[in-house]
């Protein structure tokens, strides 16, 4: 039995569904609603390409260690594929396939000319030195250079990777072809063709759609309280930008645990503290809170911004937030979704809520291809417009068909991709 099978069975026994099955169930609901042709359905519910690589890395002690990584392309019907690279010890092929499929839907809702892809390496990046991480990244980039390229498949950061990782990939790819190819990755440092506003873009998108939801529900921003799970790129930027807009962020967490203060947390101080200590744990003027309890706080807005399977049938009935803005990919299981819907909790699904990152990645790719760069103001304005437009398109779809926001988002996304597939006569 392969390792991924063992992990899947362990997850199911533990009550956590397999991520790719979750992604397929979400797709199936939309396919049924759209009465999609069975052939089209079969193609879209599977991934198109999977590359598994086992590659050696020189460690600092002189030894060689073998790592496993994946690059998955779900669908190429609307353009080159796009999606992040994750470094995490729990990465599985099923997870990478699910994340690739979610990227296809995300780019379709926002009408970005991409299909979905994702990559991952089974590694805990915090256990490697910088030198080892660079060796690993360059070797992984070489392995997946079969698939990636500015017109083929364009990676970006995800959990455990950042702008520095993207710089190493861009440099490795450029060395192979003999000239600089900035457009091969997005989320790069500005100095090598990165875009203004990219680092905070996912958090900015989370903030924008949350404000739209508050407006729709008639809740004044300054009366809204917020809890954020995860304080990495997405969580910390979401917390900061939501606080800047006048909401009160009362709790945040990372993998070491959480902190809580009903009077509100000072996010600027918290960011400094987190940078100095590498965690938010121990931040003064706040009470400790577990990750599980944070999810069940009586807040206006809950932003899961860590990993998958956080809101399940076990805890969904105890969630008290009025709005859930899914900063993370796949934080809610389908069973939990049903419970949240019954309890009238307004869920802004991941494929809508966290698409600010891929949207500004698209801006970065366009700027790189044109060698012409935009100001931060232009980026943020365009992001604001496209996020609000997509939120309202999904919201109108939800109201028109009397379905929840997740199914509405899937109806828009799957309909868009199916149209492209049919237009290309991919199914004779
Ligand atoms: P990151 O590595 O920067 O941060 C992850 C954070 O989650 C860290 O604070 C970590 O301590 C915390 N965490 C991990 N396990 C946890 C747990 N069990 N409980 C609480 N906190 C935990 O990653 P990121 O880029 O911020 O990504 C977070 C999520 O957002 C992922 O699901 C990712 O796929 C999604 N996402 C990221 C982007 C992006 O642009 N980076 C875009 C769209 C979606």
């Amino acid at each position: 039995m392969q390792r991924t099978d063992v992990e899947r069975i362990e997850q199911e026994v533990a009550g956590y569904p397999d991520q790719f099955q979750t992604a397929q169930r979400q797709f199936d609901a939309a396919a049924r609603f759209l009465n999609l042709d069975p052939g089209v359905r079969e193609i879209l519910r599977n991934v198109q390409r999977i590359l598994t690589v086992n590659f050696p890395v020189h460690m600092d002690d002189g030894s060689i260690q073998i790592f496993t990584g994946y690059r998955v392309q779900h669908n190429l019907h609307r353009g080159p594929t796009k999606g992040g690279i994750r470094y995490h010890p729990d990465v599985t092929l099923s997870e990478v396939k699910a994340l690739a499929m979610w990227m296809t839907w995300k780019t379709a809702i926002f009408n970005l000319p991409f299909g979905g892809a994702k990559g991952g390496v089974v590694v805990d990046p915090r256990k490697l030195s910088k030198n080892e991480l660079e060796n690993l990244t360059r070797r992984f980039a070489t392995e997946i250079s079969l698939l990636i390229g500015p017109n083929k498949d364009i990676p970006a950061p995800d959990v455990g990777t950042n702008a520095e990782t993207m710089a190493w990939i861009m440099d490795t790819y450029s060395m192979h072809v003999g000239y600089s190819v900035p457009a091969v990755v997005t989320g790069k440092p500005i100095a090598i063709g990165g875009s203004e506003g990219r680092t905070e873009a996912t958090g900015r998108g989370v903030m924008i759609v949350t404000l739209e939801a508050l407006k729709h529900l008639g809740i004044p921003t300054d009366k809204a309280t917020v809890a954020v799970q995860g304080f990495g790129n997405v969580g910390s930027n979401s917390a900061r930008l939501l606080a800047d807009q006048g909401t009160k962020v009362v709790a945040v967490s990372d993998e070491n645990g959480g902190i809580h203060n009903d009077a509100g947390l000072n996010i600027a101080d918290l960011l400094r503290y987190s940078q100095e200590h590498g965690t938010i744990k121990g931040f003064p003027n706040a009470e400790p809170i577990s990750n599980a309890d944070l999810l069940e706080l009586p807040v206006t807005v809950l932003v899961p911004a860590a990993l998958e399977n956080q809101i399940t049938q076990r805890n969904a009935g105890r969630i008290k937030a009025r709005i859930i803005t899914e900063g993370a990919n796949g934080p809610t299981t389908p069973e939990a979704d049903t419970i949240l819907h019954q309890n009238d909790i307004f869920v802004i699904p991941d494929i809508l809520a966290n698409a600010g990152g891929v949207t500004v990645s698209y801006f970065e790719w366009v700027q790189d291809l044109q060698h012409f760069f935009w100001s931060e103001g232009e980026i943020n304005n365009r992001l604001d417009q496209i996020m609000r437009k997509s939120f309202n398109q999904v919201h109108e779809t939800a109201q028109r068909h009397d379905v929840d926001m997740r199914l509405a988002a899937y109806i828009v996304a799957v309909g868009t991709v199916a149209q492209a597939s049919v237009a290309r006569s991919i199914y004779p």
Side-chain angles (χ1 to χ4, degrees):
M1 206 172 352
Q2 287 191 343
R3 182 169 177 271
T4 48
D5 290 335
V6 175
E7 282 172 353
R8 180 175 56 72
I9 290 162
E10 279 173 359
Q11 276 189 340
E12 280 173 5
V13 170
Y16 296 113
D18 171 74
Q19 291 99 331
F20 189 57
Q21 280 176 8
T22 295
Q24 286 187 317
R25 284 172 65 187
Q26 292 166 337
F27 164 77
D28 287 342
R32 266 194 307 275
F33 187 92
L34 291 165
N35 202 13
L36 217 58
D37 172 83
V40 179
R41 197 180 294 205
E42 250 341 274
I43 292 191
L44 295 185
R45 81 191 296 279
N46 290 295
V47 299
Q48 194 164 337
R49 293 177 183 158
I50 298 174
L51 178 67
T52 301
V53 296
N54 296 303
F55 58 98
V57 177
H58 276 282
M59 308 305 280
D60 290 346
D61 64 3
S63 68
I64 288 175
Q65 222 173 297
I66 302 291
F67 290 86
T68 299
Y70 308 101
R71 185 74 186 168
V72 173
Q73 298 178 341
H74 168 250
N75 183 277
L76 291 91
H77 299 174
R78 296 181 60 255
T81 48
K82 181 106 195 67
I85 291 180
R86 177 173 291 195
Y87 288 176
H88 195 279
D90 297 337
V91 161
T92 63
L93 181 55
S94 162
E95 180 186 46
V96 180
K97 282 163 65 180
L99 290 162
M101 188 193 258
W102 288 327
M103 286 304 298
T104 300
W105 312 138
K106 227 179 270 188
T107 52
I109 294 175
F110 285 72
N111 223 358
L112 311 177
F114 297 124
K118 205 78 180 192
V121 177
V122 187
V123 59
D124 184 347
R126 290 159 312 178
K127 294 204 172 129
L128 267 58
S129 71
K130 191 166 164 175
N131 183 45
E132 289 169 337
L133 262 185
E134 179 173 350
N135 290 347
L136 177 142
T137 302
R138 287 185 180 279
R139 187 54 86 149
F140 180 59
T142 302
E143 293 290 338
I144 63 169
S145 63
L146 285 172
L147 288 181
I148 66 171
N151 298 312
K152 291 160 66 181
D153 181 6
I154 306 115
D158 189 71
V159 174
T161 57
N162 55 25
E164 188 175 46
T165 326
M166 294 306 114
W168 291 329
I169 297 177
M170 180 268 192
D171 185 62
T172 306
Y173 185 88
S174 299
M175 282 163 65
H176 290 172
V177 295
Y179 54 92
S180 287
V181 189
V184 68
V185 286
T186 57
K188 304 176 288 293
I190 303 274
I192 52 169
S195 177
E196 298 287 350
R198 173 59 185 92
T199 307
E200 63 170 47
T202 309
R204 182 170 285 279
V206 163
M207 177 270 284
I208 295 165
V209 293
T210 302
L211 294 194
E212 285 296 297
L214 287 169
K215 197 163 69 184
H216 157 66
L217 295 170
I219 303 169
T221 311
D222 59 359
K223 295 275 182 300
T225 55
V226 179
V228 181
Q229 186 201 41
F231 205 66
N233 176 301
V234 180
S236 67
N237 283 304
S238 300
R240 177 175 63 81
L241 291 161
L242 279 165
D244 286 353
Q245 292 297 318
T247 68
K248 190 159 67 175
V249 179
V250 296
V252 302
S253 66
D254 61 23
E255 65 201 285
N256 303 309
I259 51 167
H260 175 213
N261 184 343
D262 274 332
L265 299 162
N266 182 322
I267 302 298
D269 287 351
L270 184 57
L271 282 164
R272 263 191 300 276
Y273 182 92
S274 151
Q275 256 154 22
E276 273 169 33
H277 296 82
T279 176
I280 51 138
K281 202 173 169 188
F283 181 67
N285 302 325
E287 297 298 318
I289 185 170
S290 71
N291 259 298
D293 289 343
L294 177 139
L295 295 174
E296 297 172 21
L297 282 173
V299 286
T300 321
V301 182
L302 173 64
V303 182
L307 294 171
E308 298 95 81
N309 292 336
Q310 298 302 303
I311 303 174
T312 67
Q313 58 192 346
R314 295 170 183 203
N315 61 0
R318 294 193 298 271
I319 303 263
K320 297 173 198 75
R322 182 72 192 86
I323 298 169
I324 298 177
T325 312
E326 293 184 338
N329 285 306
T332 310
T333 65
E335 289 77 14
D337 242 344
T338 308
I339 299 169
L340 298 175
H341 187 54
Q342 279 161 1
N343 291 347
D344 198 25
I345 295 173
F346 190 90
V347 178
I348 313 176
D350 47 8
I351 56 172
L352 173 64
N354 69 32
V358 69
T359 301
V360 176
S361 271
Y362 166 60
F363 297 160
E364 180 174 333
W365 181 70
V366 168
Q367 292 171 82
D368 288 338
L369 293 177
Q370 298 188 338
H371 310 284
F372 180 72
F373 289 87
W374 313 345
S375 71
E376 189 173 358
E378 280 173 284
I379 302 273
N380 290 347
N381 276 340
R382 284 177 199 254
L383 177 64
D384 188 69
Q385 279 172 27
I386 195 169
M387 290 297 310
R388 286 197 288 131
K389 184 173 163 216
S390 300
F391 175 92
N392 286 306
Q393 186 189 6
V394 170
H395 189 223
E396 278 160 23
T397 306
Q399 290 189 317
R400 190 167 61 247
H401 300 300
D402 192 23
V403 298
D404 65 24
M405 287 286 283
R406 189 177 319 273
L407 181 52
Y410 272 82
I411 291 170
V412 173
V414 174
T416 302
V417 178
Q419 243 181 358
S421 315
V422 171
R424 286 178 59 165
S425 297
I426 282 171
Y427 325 99

